[in-house]
Amino acid sequence: MGRSKRLIGIALTAALAVVAVSAAPAAAAPAARIMVVGDSISQGAEGDFTWRYRIASHLVAAADFVGPWTGTHVLPADHTDQSSSHHGAYRAGIGFDGANLAQWGWQMHQAKAVIGGNVATHDPDYLLVELGFNDLGWGVSDAAGLLADFEHFVAAARAAKPGIRIAVANVPHRTPLDVNPGLPALITQYNALLAARVPELSTATSPIVLADVDGPFDEYTDAYDGLHPNVRGEHVIAKAFADRIAGGFGLGGAYGPVPASLPADLTPAAPATITAVPVGDKVRVSWAHSFGATGYEFWKRDTTTQGTWAKGVFDIGADSWTDDWLPAGHGFEYRVRPVRGTATVGGYSPVAAAVARPMPNVPNVAATGNPGRPWTITISWGAVAEADDYHVYSAPGCDLNVPAPSAFTEQQWGLGGKTSWTQELVFEQCRNYKVVASRYGGLGSLTAATTVRAYPVRS
């Protein structure tokens, strides 16, 4: 090869190298690290898609969700377990990067104390904050106090990461509550304060934008209980955040309209099994977990009195309940029905039966006449630990045979913890007595009760 050809070859090789380098794909921008900070509206209940899933599906690879928790809230097995749960499943068939800092029942007043540590640990670039309903609804803070807590929250987050970007939602109104008639006005007041304060708190280094959730969220059509989002409400909240971070931060694009065709809201199935076991003077009722239930109607009836089914005043927030204040010796039947907020109710479970522990026999029953009080008989007895009352029965007769239980009539009750009672004006030659203990209106056995006989002293 001649010198000119060698030079041409070298030049061609260099040119191809340049083309190859130029043709290499540009490195993908790192995904934005997002931490959702919220309460039950954001954590979601077992079986929810959650608005977190909806916005994650919208942002796709542009976002990496971070935080200490991953699951939805699921009812505990035992009603005495008040600890928060983050192990609930989402709607069947979905999976996503669900890391978050959202917890059922959470308040801004609580979150402000831990946000700095969580920002330092999980290093989010963006915070999507949905908090405040529980502060106002539970009387933790008034509107001004909640705003002050949000300012504290922002300061703590910025101390951990000065360039943090924050999208904060206002508080959605809920359907009216008779127990808190002033709540709507309080929410409106806070939302106005927040809207005015956000631009003042925002800086070039750490911008803050307001996501208007309250405006588009219709508590009558977008919630399954007047507050927590249903399948439509999840889209409404996701859209409020997505459109705001797209416009305010350039993160992602517009969400688009809420879909017209949506999956059906979840209806929890009836528990397949239920048991009722006496425990002391109570009955512990347990049932199989119903997926997606946010509580259970608790139904029972007293079979001893042939009572009708009655529903408990409150729904049970667990897969069990210990029934108390039961009349001793009465039989009961139980059944439960799962609910999901106030919008959907599942079917009844099977029926379980149990008998409340009967009262023991009253010990040391005695009846005596008193020469100092003619025509009277004093009946005394030993205390029964579980008794809240005693009932005294008597029957006439001086035969060697004890009168049948049907011959005894009730003479006195309402004695509380007393262990004696004196009957006046006893004119028979002799009288037979029985004493039975009671608990919550349930009596001991008259048939098994000890019979004593007394002879009144004549004047």
Side-chain angles (χ1 to χ4, degrees), residues 38-44 69 73 82 84-86 102-111 130-136 138 140 227-228:
D39 50 32
S40 53
I41 293 172
S42 295
Q43 185 189 1
W69 303 317
H73 181 267
Q82 298 300 314
S84 178
S85 168
H86 298 277
Q103 178 167 289
W104 206 267
W106 229 25
Q107 308 151 22
M108 186 79 76
H109 193 70
Q110 297 168 310
E130 174 280 309
L131 286 168
F133 180 87
N134 296 319
D135 301 74
L136 301 176
W138 296 355
V140 175
L227 176 64
H228 297 98

Side-chain angles (χ1 to χ4, degrees), residues 285-348:
V285 187
S286 305
W287 49 89
H289 180 71
S290 179
F291 181 82
T294 59
Y296 299 89
E297 294 177 351
F298 187 80
W299 292 76
K300 75 175 182 180
R301 73 184 190 98
D302 188 330
T303 56
T304 299
T305 61
Q306 298 182 340
T308 58
W309 285 102
K311 180 170 74 74
V313 176
F314 302 105
D315 292 342
I316 306 301
D319 296 333
S320 66
W321 180 250
T322 299
D323 197 22
D324 200 354
W325 306 90
L326 301 175
H330 283 218
F332 292 92
E333 289 184 337
Y334 298 93
R335 64 186 184 186
V336 297
R337 186 161 62 163
V339 298
R340 186 167 177 83
T342 56
T344 55
V345 181
Y348 286 108

Side-chain angles (χ1 to χ4, degrees), residues 3-18:
R3 182 173 181 276
S4 60
K5 289 184 179 181
R6 288 198 302 272
L7 291 175
I8 292 173
I10 293 170
L12 181 59
T13 301
L16 290 173
V18 170

Side-chain angles (χ1 to χ4, degrees), residues 62 72 121-122 185 190 192 235 240 249 268 273 281 290 302 309 334 340-342 351 365 375 384 389 391 400:
T72 59
T121 299
H122 301 286
Y190 169 72
H235 280 286
F249 302 143
T273 59
D281 60 352
S290 179
D302 188 330
W309 285 102
Y334 298 93
R340 186 167 177 83
T342 56
V351 173
V365 179
W375 312 101
V384 174
D389 195 12
H391 296 240
L400 292 177

Side-chain angles (χ1 to χ4, degrees), residues 224-290:
Y224 60 75
D225 60 355
L227 176 64
H228 297 98
N230 56 22
V231 292
R232 186 180 189 281
E234 291 169 345
H235 280 286
V236 171
I237 297 174
K239 175 177 172 59
F241 272 106
D243 289 350
R244 197 65 191 93
I245 61 177
F249 302 143
L251 178 61
Y255 194 84
V258 172
S261 177
L262 294 166
D265 286 322
L266 184 65
T267 298
T273 59
I274 184 171
T275 60
V277 179
V279 179
D281 60 352
K282 306 173 179 61
V283 172
R284 179 174 173 80
V285 187
S286 305
W287 49 89
H289 180 71
S290 179

